[in-house]
């Protein structure tokens, strides 16, 4: 299980049904709803779709809706 810290675990646990339990076997970082919407998921015990990782969804949306231009790379940015 990737380390997400206290904030990440709090975000994850907000998706648990009331009086529910958490068993982490594998936690994908994004999802696709039954209607094909990337970043949305209908979790068991909940009445409507909720968001999965906003950062991954934002990256996906940037890729599919991009301008086609090359990004400005920052050599100091270790994520690039």
């Amino acid at each position: 299980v990737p380390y997400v810290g206290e904030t990440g675990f709090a975000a994850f646990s907000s998706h648990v049904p009331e009086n529910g339990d958490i068993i982490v076997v594998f936690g994908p970082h994004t999802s696709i709803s039954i209607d094909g919407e990337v970043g949305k998921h209908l979790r068991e015990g909940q009445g409507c779709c909720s968001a999965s990782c906003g950062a991954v969804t934002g990256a996906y949306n940037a890729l599919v809706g991009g301008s086609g231009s090359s990004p400005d790379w920052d050599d100091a940015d270790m994520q690039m």
Side-chain angles (χ1 to χ4, degrees):
V1 177
Y3 175 75
V4 296
E6 186 176 338
T7 302
F9 193 80
F12 164 75
S13 63
S14 71
H15 298 296
V16 178
E18 291 181 16
N19 300 316
D21 297 311
I22 298 173
I23 298 174
V24 178
V25 177
F26 174 73
H29 217 67
T30 195
S31 58
I32 302 173
S33 75
I34 194 77
D35 296 324
E37 188 175 4
V38 174
K40 297 289 182 180
H41 184 74
L42 179 59
R43 292 170 172 86
E44 187 173 338
Q46 294 190 344
C48 61
C49 286
S50 58
S52 54
C53 181
V56 172
T57 304
Y60 169 80
N61 289 333
L63 289 171
V64 299
S67 65
S69 63
S70 297
D72 293 327
W73 298 109
D74 181 350
D75 292 334
D77 188 348
M78 300 304 284
Q79 298 182 59
M80 298 303 220

